[in-house]
Every structure is written in C-alpha cells, then in structure tokens.
Amino acid sequence: MERFYVTTPIYYINAEPHLGHTYTMVVADTLARFYRAKGVETFVVTGTDEHGDKIAAIAAAHGENPKLYADRMSPLFQQAWQECGFLVDQFVRTTDPRHEQLVQEFLQRVYDNGDIYFSRYAGLYCTGCERFLTEKELVGGNCPDHKRPPEPIEEENYFFRMTRYLPAVQQYFEAHPDAIYPEHYRNEVLAMLASGGIGDLCISRPKTRLDWGIELPFDRRYVCYVWFDALISYVSGLKMRGDDTFHAFWPTAHHVMAKDILKPHAIFWPSMLLALRLPLFRRLLIHGYWVRGEAKMSKSLGNVIRPLDMKQQFGIDTLRYFLLREMAFGQDASFNEDAFAARANADLANGLGNLASRVLSMQQRYFDGQVQPLDPPTAADDDLQGAFAQALVEVPEWTEQLAFHRALEALWRALDHANKYVVDTAPFTLARERQQLPRVGGILHRLLECLYTTATLLAWFLPETSQKIFSLLGVTAPVRLPTSLGWGEHFPIGHRVQPPITLFPRIDLQKEATPRA
Ligand SMILES: [Zn+2]
C-alpha cells in the first residue's frame, strides 16, 4: 500500500487563523486529496503550538491562565479548518498529555544517549524568537526579525549536542536533492550548514523565568524549549493513532510550511530525529508569503484576512482557487480584492460556471435533460477531446510537482477550448432545424464529458465544486483518478442530467463589503 503523510506546522495561538495559515492548510489538503484520488492512503496532521514565553505573556495580558487561554484559542483553529472542509486526521495540541508524555520520553532518550549536557551560558536572548541569538545574526544590534535588541542573559541551561549531527544532516540533504523544495531553500540550508556558524541548541528554560512549558524529565527546575516541543508533534500526531500508524506513515512525511520556519525544520528537526535514532522525514515543502502591498500579513499590521469571512462571503472553493492559482509555490504572492474578484469572475463565473450552465440548460431545452448518442466525430470534436486528454495528463503532473498554478492553467486551457467549441459548433443555431438534432445531441454529449473530466480533475483543488458538478451530471465521481478519458462511457443514452445552477455568482466589489478583518 502506497502512503502519503503530510503535515502543516502546528500554529502558534497568539493570533486567530489568517490567510497564511489557510494557504498552508489548502496546500496540505490539496496534496492529500490528490494522493487519495491516486489510490494512496493519506494522513494529515495539523494542530496548535501552545507553550512558550509569548503565550504566557499574552495570556497574562488577558489576565488569563495560559492553559485557559490555550483552551479558548485552539478551538478557533480546529473549527476554522473543519468549517473550511479541510481533511485533518489528527489535530495535535501541545498541551495534550499524550504529546507532553512523548516529548518527555524523547528528551529522556536523547539525555540517556549523552546528547544533552548542562552548561552555564551567557548570551543575547530575544523574547520574540524565544532563543539566544549569536552576534553574527544581529543587524545593527537588533534581532533581524523583531527589530529590537536582544537582552543579555546569563543562566545555566541544558544543551542538545546538535553539532554532533550536523555533518549527517548535511550529507542527507546532499544525497537527497529533492528533500527540500524549492531548490533554492535547499541551497540556503546547505550554505547555513557549510558556514560552521551553527552551535548546540539550548533546549531548556529555567522555571524561574518561564514555567509555561513541558517539564524536563531529568530536571524539574526547567521546562523544554518550544521548538523542541513543537516539532515532536509531527511524531505524536501519528502515535496518537498507535505505533502502527506511526510506522506506516512516518517514512513518507512531507512537512509543508512558510519560509520563515525553514531553519528549525531543516537544522533542528533532522538533528533531533538522528539523535532519537528515527528515520528522517521525506521532504520539506517551503512556500512564500502572502503580502498586501509590500507588507507580510500579520496581526500587528492589522492587514489580516480571516478565512471564515472569505468562506462566508465567496465560498471556500473561490478562495482555494485564488490561492492555488495566484501563488507559484515557493514564491511570494500578493493578495488584493480587485485581483481576487477579477480572477474569480473571469475563470470561475465565466470560464467554468458559464460553460456548465450553457451545456446543462441546452440539454434541458432540447432533450428534456436526456443524454443523446455520440455522433461520428468531426475534426472539431477530436480537437476538443484532445484538449481534455492533454489536461488529464498535465494536471496531475503539475500537481505532483507542486505547480498548482500550472495545473489549473492547464485545466483552464481545456475549458477555454470547450467554451470556444460551443461558439464554433453553435448547437443553439443547429437546434432550430429538426434534422440537426442528432448532431446537437452529439455536441452536448461531448460537452457533458468535458464537465465530467473537469470535475474529476477538480476533485483535489475545488472539492465542493467537483461534487456539485458530479451531482448535476447525475453520476458518481470515479473512485480512482482515471488514466484515460473514457468519453462515451459515463452517461448511458437517455440518462437524465440536472438543470443548471449558479456554481459561482459574479463578484461585484462595489456591492460587497470588502473582505477585511
Ligand atoms: Zn527575535
């Protein structure tokens, strides 16, 4: 049995779900649905990261106990993803006792192997990053991410002997060129490793400074550093379903994330896995940022887009389409309402929605919804079929390569062809003459097949729309992604299809309140 395990980062609960989180979820969901369509068994893990300085500080600012704060925030993520219809097999909360227990077990194992030592440390600590920064990392004396100077702190802490594993990590990424995608992030990681600037990792925080975390099993005066805790969720999420699930899925792990957390995933995590004597993940899939104007979307900038607002206003598939069509995976992309409306109107309302509506209404008008036999094909019929045969090859290929925008482009080329075919063959004109009705029936039958193939290829991109099209056609979706079109085999002669519905209402921004938090 082929398997595919995909994770998103467990999200930090210092803010509500926003567009960046949603994009990562859409990518994980799209991949899981794609591999499912190919008959692969899939498992999806996401969750919430609930420990650390920042959470303790925010909870304190709300006058709340951190656990109560986490209990209030975590469900916002769980519910949002459920309402968006994303596939999630296991949602991990880092305050779940099953997760905490595994983290302690892993800490103990690394400690017993001699890879954790105790040492006095004086360093520059950034509370934003929740870690010590090296002098080299500072820009003008400031943390490059938080734009403020780190605090000098001197304390005794536990350190993970990460340097012992860095050569093996480097070898792994050298031997597996596709283990980090896109490739320039792999080059970035290899450069980081080659620089020799990475030291051992401080993995403890004294409770005198912070007590909101998982206690070190070998020293109760300390709690665990958040990253060491959070990364283990990728294992605990599987183990919560039993060791068999872990053994079955772990070797196929694909971690999807935004580029800002590449280092913990590409340096800390493989070192930890090696120290735990566990196999390494299969791939890290790194995406860019959604920007508005020039700025990254973030709560502090007040330019956040809430996924549930978007869903309510435009439908989840319209949002999915925009995110997948507009961002080349790995690069930044910009979000603005005008581009969103233009894309949705041109491709969804006009391109796909209009085709479905024309075909189904003609089928009603001329044949009472009943499918007619295919007539001998013309050159135009062959071209149409060729366009969809090409889409059937290209769309899965581009999806496999994470080029979702190219996959959708390829499908829409076929849809454009179908819309042009309607104009060129003009069934609405032919239908005026009774003796032409068999030809009209043949044209419409082919167009129903276009919709069938489209729904098949949209199953992982726009699952709701795919289902709607299949139910309009009155047929069930294929169990497996077919390797050939099979046109002429999906509709028995006389089978009745449904009258059209509006799949995608046109978006008029003058009338809509702009979707803004
Ligand atoms: Zn910082």
Side-chain angles (χ1 to χ4, degrees):
M1 183 77 189
E2 237 194 298
R3 294 195 175 86
F4 180 79
Y5 174 37
V6 61
T7 69
T8 75
I10 52 171
Y11 304 114
Y12 215 46
I13 54 168
N14 60 342
E16 282 179 48
H18 58 63
L19 196 73
H21 304 128
T22 310
Y23 176 73
T24 316
M25 293 304 290
V26 168
V27 168
D29 184 82
T30 299
L31 288 173
R33 288 178 194 274
F34 171 65
Y35 284 103
R36 265 187 201 194
K38 297 204 341 157
V40 174
E41 200 184 340
T42 64
F43 201 92
V44 184
V45 165
T46 185
T48 41
D49 185 3
E50 306 181 9
H51 291 126
D53 292 346
K54 266 184 284 183
I55 302 303
I58 291 167
H62 283 81
E64 259 175 306
N65 150 316
K67 179 63 167 67
L68 290 180
Y69 173 79
D71 286 348
R72 188 163 61 77
M73 291 301 287
S74 179
L76 297 180
F77 288 82
Q78 243 172 104
Q79 284 158 14
W81 309 149
Q82 200 172 4
E83 277 186 53
C84 289
F86 299 144
L87 300 173
V88 174
D89 292 289
Q90 186 66 51
F91 189 97
V92 178
R93 294 187 56 182
T94 54
T95 53
D96 185 318
R98 294 171 294 177
H99 172 79
E100 295 189 335
Q101 204 186 331
L102 186 72
V103 171
Q104 290 191 323
E105 192 186 311
F106 278 6
L107 281 164
Q108 189 68 50
R109 201 193 293 180
V110 177
Y111 185 76
D112 292 344
N113 286 341
D115 284 330
I116 290 177
Y117 62 90
F118 192 61
S119 170
R120 168 161 291 280
Y121 186 79
L124 298 167
Y125 188 80
C126 173
T127 46
C129 298
E130 302 194 12
R131 65 182 181 89
F132 288 99
L133 303 179
T134 59
E135 294 278 359
K136 267 197 212 164
E137 287 178 280
L138 304 184
V139 177
N142 287 333
C143 164
D145 292 333
H146 297 96
K147 319 277 182 223
R148 58 172 185 243
E151 291 169 52
I153 288 183
E154 191 179 335
E155 64 190 19
E156 288 184 307
N157 267 310
Y158 286 91
F159 289 81
F160 165 46
R161 237 180 262 283
M162 191 158 74
T163 45
R164 181 177 279 178
Y165 295 98
L166 296 177
V169 171
Q170 189 172 350
Q171 274 168 23
Y172 181 75
F173 290 137
E174 276 165 359
H176 298 85
D178 73 340
I180 303 177
Y181 181 85
E183 206 188 355
H184 66 271
Y185 291 116
R186 172 177 169 260
N187 299 336
E188 212 174 278
V189 169
L190 287 174
M192 239 188 278
L193 286 161
S195 75
I198 306 169
D200 287 341
L201 186 66
C202 176
I203 55 149
S204 67
R205 300 290 180 261
K207 280 191 189 170
T208 48
R209 186 149 61 79
L210 165 80
D211 67 355
W212 180 235
I214 299 175
E215 205 170 72
L216 298 188
F218 41 82
D219 191 338
R220 303 189 56 183
R221 296 172 303 156
Y222 289 86
V223 294
C224 178
Y225 168 50
V226 280
W227 270 111
F228 201 94
D229 163 2
L231 289 162
I232 291 172
S233 67
Y234 298 144
V235 172
S236 68
L238 290 172
K239 289 210 171 218
M240 284 177 191
R241 297 301 192 82
D243 280 346
D244 289 351
T245 306
F246 172 71
H247 292 298
F249 284 98
W250 176 249
T252 69
H254 285 64
H255 300 311
V256 182
M257 76 204 71
K259 60 187 176 183
D260 56 338
I261 50 175
L262 176 60
K263 187 178 175 185
H265 283 84
I267 308 284
F268 306 171
W269 186 222
S271 305
M272 286 165 63
L273 289 166
L274 290 167
L276 288 161
R277 315 292 187 253
L278 288 174
L280 297 190
F281 47 78
R282 173 69 188 79
R283 298 184 85 186
L284 303 178
L285 309 176
I286 318 298
H287 68 74
Y289 292 146
W290 281 96
V291 292
R292 274 173 85 92
E294 294 297 301
K296 180 190 171 188
M297 247 175 257
S298 80
K299 194 189 179 192
S300 52
L301 293 170
N303 60 357
V304 172
I305 305 231
R306 288 200 184 95
L308 291 182
D309 292 350
M310 294 295 287
K311 175 186 179 280
Q312 201 176 11
Q313 208 170 352
F314 305 112
I316 189 66
D317 277 3
T318 303
L319 178 60
R320 288 176 74 112
Y321 183 79
F322 181 83
L323 296 179
L324 293 167
R325 178 65 184 79
E326 212 63 21
M327 179 177 266
F329 188 89
Q331 294 168 27
D332 290 350
S334 87
F335 187 96
N336 74 70
E337 281 80 5
D338 291 333
F340 182 86
R343 188 51 95 184
N345 287 339
D347 295 1
L348 299 177
N350 292 349
L352 172 57
N354 203 26
L355 178 71
S357 154
R358 282 162 107 183
V359 172
L360 292 170
S361 72
M362 284 191 280
Q363 194 68 48
Q364 289 300 317
R365 197 177 321 139
Y366 306 136
F367 303 105
D368 197 24
Q370 286 183 296
V371 178
Q372 304 300 301
L374 287 170
D375 58 331
T378 64
D381 298 345
D382 288 340
D383 284 353
L384 179 73
Q385 187 159 342
F388 279 83
Q390 199 177 342
L392 188 68
V393 172
E394 285 183 10
V395 174
E397 273 178 7
W398 287 123
T399 306
E400 189 117 38
Q401 295 171 40
L402 299 144
F404 308 120
H405 64 306
R406 294 254 178 274
L408 290 167
E409 221 170 53
L411 179 54
W412 257 258
R413 262 197 301 277
L415 285 169
D416 288 346
H417 194 119
N419 273 314
K420 189 166 173 294
Y421 172 87
V422 175
V423 175
D424 292 350
T425 57
F428 36 84
T429 309
L430 294 178
R432 289 179 202 146
E433 293 177 50
R434 199 161 176 79
Q435 74 274 20
Q436 292 283 6
L437 279 180
R439 173 62 187 146
V440 174
I443 290 171
L444 291 180
H445 190 146
R446 290 182 178 88
L447 287 164
L448 291 172
E449 291 287 12
C450 293
L451 294 175
Y452 182 97
T453 302
T454 300
T456 303
L457 294 173
L458 284 179
W460 53 93
F461 292 117
L462 311 181
E464 220 171 65
T465 304
S466 168
Q467 274 310 316
K468 275 188 199 165
I469 295 174
F470 281 120
S471 83
L472 286 168
L473 296 176
V475 296
T476 51
V479 182
R480 284 275 182 99
L481 178 61
T483 49
S484 62
L485 285 179
W487 281 16
E489 294 163 19
H490 302 123
F491 307 99
I493 305 314
H495 169 86
R496 223 177 266 271
V497 298
Q498 299 295 311
I501 56 167
T502 304
L503 287 173
F504 302 99
R506 284 190 63 82
I507 297 172
D508 182 352
L509 286 180
Q510 314 301 189
K511 285 194 208 145
E512 308 272 357
T514 43
R516 186 169 289 142

